[in-house]
Amino acid sequence: MIFSSFDFLFRFLPLFLILYFICPEKWRNQCLFAGSLIFYFYGARHSPLYFVLFLLSIPVNFFIGQLIGRKRDAKERSFWLNAGIFYNLFWLILFKYSTFITENLNLLLSYTKTGLQFPVIRLSLPLGISFYTFQAIAYLADVYRKEIRSEHSLLRFCTWFSMFTQVTSGPITRYQEIRSQLIRRRFSMNRLETGLREFTIGLSLKVLLANQLGRLWSQVGAIGYESISTPLAWMGIIAFSLQLYFDFYGYSLMAQGIGWILGFQIPRNFAYPYQSLTMTEFWRRWHITLGKWFRDYVYIPLGGNQKGFVIMVRNLLTVWLLTGFWHGADWNFLLWGLLLFALISIEKMGLGRILNRFPAAGHLYMALVIPLNWLVFAISQPPQILIYLQRLFPFFTAPGTYTWFEGDYLKYGRIYGLSLLAGLIFMTDLPRRIYSRHRRSFLTAVILIVLFWLCVYCIKMGMDDPFLYFRF
């Protein structure tokens, strides 16, 4: 069940909200926990064992957190922290990376002439495992550092861990960010209205922009990268860049909107990253909760930038390779992480200061770097990445290497030109500033209502796709 589906919009969410608000305040955590389990079970209904794994992870992390909090001996606390990290990462590695590791190990063994090969077991990825694994590790680490006390209420812990607003695709919500809200929440018509508005905006970005732009990228792939013109190649990779942004940004806004309705303040996950002047700034604005997780639990513990330039570069390399690998078990994700490491390292050597000093140069730099960055992310096979690069920059290609329909970009420009233009506008903060200025006007309310029912129509007509980040 996804936020942009009929089942969620017209069955689960209305029924859940009715039950949530009619039940006494002291029972609302129980109601939210039960609703979240139903939501997750529906999403994992084709693999019931994954639901069992999710259920098991809740008490395991709760009791390990209590053990860390109770122990006074540093070695015992460290032992239980490592045990908790091992438990959570074991399942993530098993389901997400075992196939990749086994296939590449077998490839290496094939050169040894020993004949030894390991069986390759292909497992589907449990819903949301990348996100709830990182939430669990953050909780255990924060208890270990004594930044928070271990939670003594199993119900509150269960409610936070399983909350359907963020369990499948984030934002990665740390326990201390909503702990007080689990004890007492404030409700008002203003919060309800704000939540409904934010949910509608997120739904519109997902259905009316991300899904339409995704169709252009899919059609470029169906044509074949070697058979597209240079203008269409640029249109395609720009469409993917915008699709990825509006898909995940839209989901995050919907999660925040539902959070407002329920009385929670879900952390912000995007801050108009495509307006950045450097890739360093971009990753402070893109998937903010993931970036903070790697900063606080990997980069800083390794020494950050406090132990000299060489150690800083090592730490950056570690963080960005792990970031790439977190997104997917394939070589292109590691290559993508390596590219980000190279760009950010060069910026820290001085390029970043120049780009920040001259904003026009920074925007031009990012206009080139962002699509190329997402190209490596989007295409899993390196030879296909090379072909696409040759289509983007045909002056590096020998004449006559490829043939294509010369008017292809005109054909697809007529179909998707308006969506591309809208995407380029809405990736900036201009629409939000206009919205904030006229938020209380009657016309704004009418526009949001029209957008909601237009989204419903598109969903009804089958013009909807699963969220891209469900893959990660």
Side-chain angles (χ1 to χ4, degrees):
M1 181 160 38
I2 61 175
F3 290 170
S4 58
S5 68
F6 260 81
D7 283 343
F8 183 82
L9 292 173
F10 296 105
R11 293 177 183 170
F12 175 83
L13 189 60
L15 179 59
F16 170 77
L17 290 179
I18 291 171
L19 294 174
Y20 184 77
F21 285 112
I22 64 173
C23 76
E25 184 176 350
K26 66 180 181 179
W27 294 103
R28 282 180 178 160
N29 279 349
Q30 287 91 328
C31 181
L32 179 53
F33 178 47
S36 297
L37 290 185
I38 292 170
F39 177 87
Y40 192 91
F41 178 79
Y42 186 92
R45 64 191 183 279
H46 299 301
S47 304
L49 287 176
Y50 294 167
F51 179 69
V52 174
L53 172 63
F54 175 69
L55 277 182
L56 181 63
S57 293
I58 298 174
V60 168
N61 283 287
F62 174 76
F63 288 115
I64 291 178
Q66 286 207 321
L67 286 168
I68 296 172
R70 290 173 183 169
K71 300 297 182 182
R72 294 291 176 264
D73 182 74
K75 289 184 178 179
E76 289 186 83
R77 289 169 56 82
S78 179
F79 170 81
W80 285 111
L81 172 65
N82 291 328
I85 292 174
F86 175 82
Y87 171 84
N88 288 288
L89 289 182
F90 172 80
W91 295 113
L92 181 64
I93 292 170
L94 175 66
F95 288 105
K96 192 169 184 176
Y97 303 108
S98 59
T99 300
F100 175 81
I101 293 171
T102 306
E103 286 180 340
N104 284 279
L105 184 58
N106 285 341
L107 181 62
L108 288 174
L109 289 172
S110 67
Y111 293 106
T112 64
K113 299 180 181 180
T114 61
L116 179 62
Q117 293 282 286
F118 294 98
V120 177
I121 301 175
R122 302 187 184 280
L123 301 169
S124 58
L125 190 64
L127 184 64
I129 190 171
S130 296
F131 290 90
Y132 71 71
T133 294
F134 272 27
Q135 281 197 172
I137 292 174
Y139 169 76
L140 298 177
D142 289 343
V143 172
Y144 175 80
R145 296 171 176 177
K146 299 183 179 180
E147 294 179 7
I148 59 171
R149 293 181 179 179
S150 59
E151 179 54 66
H152 66 272
S153 168
L154 179 58
L155 174 61
R156 285 200 290 268
F157 185 86
C158 291
T159 305
W160 161 73
F161 194 93
S162 65
M163 197 179 301
F164 73 88
T165 56
Q166 44 78 39
V167 68
T168 54
S169 286
I172 299 171
T173 307
R174 301 188 200 182
Y175 192 64
Q176 60 265 43
E177 292 174 321
I178 62 169
R179 183 175 192 170
S180 61
Q181 300 164 57
L182 289 166
I183 299 171
R184 184 172 181 83
R185 302 189 277 284
R186 294 182 179 180
F187 302 94
S188 67
M189 290 304 296
N190 183 58
R191 293 180 70 93
L192 175 63
E193 179 192 357
T194 299
L196 290 173
R197 285 171 175 265
E198 292 301 309
F199 182 87
T200 301
I201 293 170
L203 182 68
S204 302
L205 293 176
K206 160 63 179 167
V207 175
L208 303 180
L209 275 180
N211 289 348
Q212 310 314 313
L213 292 164
R215 283 173 173 72
L216 173 55
W217 176 247
S218 296
Q219 288 181 320
V220 166
I223 294 168
Y225 304 144
E226 67 281 349
S227 302
I228 58 175
S229 67
T230 294
L232 183 56
W234 280 104
M235 287 170 57
I237 196 56
I238 291 171
F240 177 80
S241 302
L242 294 172
Q243 177 201 8
L244 189 66
Y245 172 58
F246 290 120
D247 183 277
F248 199 18
Y249 178 42
Y251 179 95
S252 296
L253 281 180
M254 284 187 270
Q256 287 181 290
I258 298 172
W260 277 103
I261 294 170
L262 300 180
F264 293 94
Q265 189 167 348
I266 305 298
R268 188 184 191 188
N269 217 19
F270 289 89
Y272 307 102
Y274 287 173
Q275 293 187 162
S276 303
L277 299 178
T278 64
M279 190 56 70
T280 304
E281 181 188 359
F282 178 92
W283 275 95
R284 293 194 189 109
R285 293 169 169 241
W286 176 281
H287 204 341
I288 296 169
T289 57
L290 179 68
K292 287 182 177 179
W293 194 97
F294 275 109
R295 180 197 67 192
D296 294 343
Y297 303 108
V298 179
Y299 184 69
I300 292 177
L302 286 175
N305 57 0
Q306 303 300 310
K307 296 184 178 181
F309 181 77
V310 174
I311 298 298
M312 182 193 72
V313 170
R314 182 206 66 182
N315 296 342
L316 285 173
L317 177 62
T318 302
V319 165
W320 288 110
L321 287 179
L322 288 175
T323 300
F325 210 39
W326 179 86
H327 280 84
D330 217 331
W331 286 109
N332 70 299
F333 292 108
L334 287 172
L335 181 61
W336 174 68
L338 193 61
L339 174 61
L340 288 171
F341 158 73
L343 290 171
I344 290 173
S345 296
I346 292 171
E347 289 174 4
K348 288 186 177 295
M349 292 177 190
L351 178 61
R353 289 193 295 272
I354 297 172
L355 296 174
N356 282 308
R357 186 177 178 183
F358 302 100
H363 286 304
L364 285 173
Y365 163 79
M366 291 301 287
L368 176 65
V369 167
I370 288 174
L372 297 180
N373 164 61
W374 290 132
L375 175 65
V376 179
F377 184 91
I379 302 176
S380 60
Q381 299 175 339
Q384 291 295 307
I385 296 174
L386 180 59
I387 291 173
Y388 207 103
L389 284 171
Q390 290 174 331
R391 302 311 309 125
L392 291 173
F393 305 102
F395 39 82
F396 290 124
T397 308
T401 303
Y402 301 111
T403 58
W404 62 90
F405 173 56
E406 293 187 1
D408 57 1
Y409 65 95
L410 296 174
K411 172 186 174 181
Y412 290 101
R414 285 191 294 269
I415 299 172
Y416 296 104
L418 189 59
S419 295
L420 284 167
L421 179 61
L424 292 172
I425 294 172
F426 278 87
M427 75 178 190
T428 71
D429 63 351
L430 176 62
R432 176 61 74 166
R433 286 192 279 114
I434 295 173
Y435 168 76
S436 298
R437 195 175 303 133
H438 303 284
R439 183 177 181 274
R440 295 297 179 184
S441 71
F442 176 75
L443 179 60
T444 299
V446 171
I447 291 172
L448 288 175
I449 292 171
V450 171
L451 286 174
F452 176 80
W453 287 107
L454 184 57
C455 290
V456 170
Y457 172 78
C458 290
I459 296 169
K460 180 68 175 178
M461 299 302 292
M463 301 166 64
D464 189 40
D465 299 302
F467 289 94
L468 286 177
Y469 261 74
F470 281 176
R471 304 174 191 174
F472 311 122

